[in-house]
Structure formats: C-alpha cells, structure tokens
Amino acid sequence: MPEKQLMKIIIWDADAQRIARIDRNLRIAMQQLGMRGLVSSMSEPPLIGRMGLIGKTPVLEIGGFYWSLKAGSAISVEECLSLLRKLSGGG
C-alpha cells in the first residue's frame, strides 16, 4: 500500500488560545480520517499583516492555499473534518 503524503498545515492567527484549540481540532480530525500531517502556527502580527490576513484570522494554509471560515472564531473538529475530506477528494 503506498504511503500517504504528509499534509503540512499552518495556522495563521495571533490568538494563542484559539491556535491551541484549532491545533487540537485539526489533530483529532486528521486522526479520525487516518491522515498524517504536520501542524504549525504563525502568530507574528507584522507577518500576518504583510500577508493581508488582518481581520481574517484564523486562517489555515494548506498546500499554498489559504482557508478561512469565520473571522475571530476557532475552527471546530467538524469544520476541520469537512475541509480535510474535501482536500483529500473524499467529499
């Protein structure tokens, strides 16, 4: 069986507590889907500003694309599952 590609996800946000919740939710979703990946965060306000993400965070960067659901709200396990399924071609 071929090895699945390791997914790399960056959480862009300046709120440390929200980053921790999203990190946990992403890991739960990946585990439920049998996915492997690296989750990291970028929380430097100047870099968030240069990327044009002020007022849009939290934002997930996956494969060079940026995904945002609700500005100012943590991304739930269910929302992570939905996004990861779509990205993996499973829904």
Side-chain angles (χ1 to χ4, degrees):
M1 177 177 267
E3 177 141 348
K4 293 182 180 179
Q5 187 175 359
L6 193 65
M7 184 175 286
K8 296 177 185 171
I9 302 172
I10 302 172
I11 304 167
W12 289 79
D13 200 347
D15 183 313
Q17 290 181 337
R18 193 165 51 220
I19 289 170
R21 285 195 305 271
I22 296 168
D23 181 273
R24 177 185 159 276
N25 293 343
L26 278 167
R27 291 176 193 281
I28 290 169
M30 286 191 295
Q31 183 178 22
Q32 288 182 14
L33 295 172
M35 297 175 131
R36 295 180 47 213
L38 299 172
V39 179
S40 61
S41 63
M42 177 53 65
S43 60
E44 295 181 34
L47 189 51
I48 291 171
R50 279 195 297 269
M51 295 300 291
L53 301 176
I54 298 277
K56 298 176 184 173
T57 58
V59 174
L60 300 180
E61 180 184 351
I62 306 171
F65 294 96
Y66 295 84
W67 307 86
S68 179
L69 293 173
K70 297 174 277 188
S73 297
I75 302 168
S76 70
V77 173
E78 292 76 20
E79 291 165 330
C80 291
L81 281 166
S82 177
L83 175 60
L84 294 174
R85 279 187 188 117
K86 287 176 185 173
L87 292 176
S88 67

